[in-house]
Amino acid sequence: MKNIKIISKLFNLKFTNKDSVKNLEDFIWDSLRKITLITELDKKYKKTVDFKKLEKIRTLNQLDKLIENTIKKK
């Protein structure tokens, strides 16, 4: 996972690349976490997360890819 620091901070847990297949259902993935992620990416990178895409995320790997795509977005 390229954005393991952001994801670890979001969930306040230590993740490794082996964790990328884990389902977000295994963690507290509620609206507050989503808003926290949106706020963090806006504050740090001045980028906006597509909320519709965020709602479809089911695994840590998918979350990582969404973060990566959001950061790279122009």
Side-chain angles (χ1 to χ4, degrees):
M1 291 190 297
K2 293 182 180 181
N3 299 288
I4 199 163
K5 287 182 182 180
I6 294 171
I7 294 170
S8 291
K9 182 178 175 184
L10 178 66
F11 290 102
N12 201 24
L13 297 168
K14 297 269 185 195
F15 289 109
T16 66
N17 286 330
K18 292 184 267 183
D19 294 322
S20 66
V21 295
K22 288 189 177 180
N23 290 321
L24 290 174
E25 295 173 350
D26 298 338
F27 311 101
I28 299 173
W29 180 237
D30 57 4
S31 56
L32 182 59
R33 297 261 187 214
K34 293 171 186 172
I35 291 169
T36 302
L37 175 64
I38 290 168
T39 304
E40 181 69 21
L41 293 179
D42 181 52
K43 184 172 63 173
K44 190 170 184 176
Y45 299 102
K46 305 290 187 231
K47 302 291 182 171
T48 304
V49 176
D50 184 335
F51 195 75
K52 289 180 184 178
K53 290 181 181 177
L54 189 61
E55 285 294 303
K56 295 177 182 177
I57 300 297
R58 299 290 174 248
T59 66
L60 288 174
N61 192 42
Q62 290 174 337
L63 180 59
D64 182 54
K65 286 179 182 177
L66 178 65
I67 293 169
E68 186 65 24
N69 290 337
T70 301
I71 291 171
K72 288 182 176 180
K73 188 170 53 174
K74 291 186 178 187

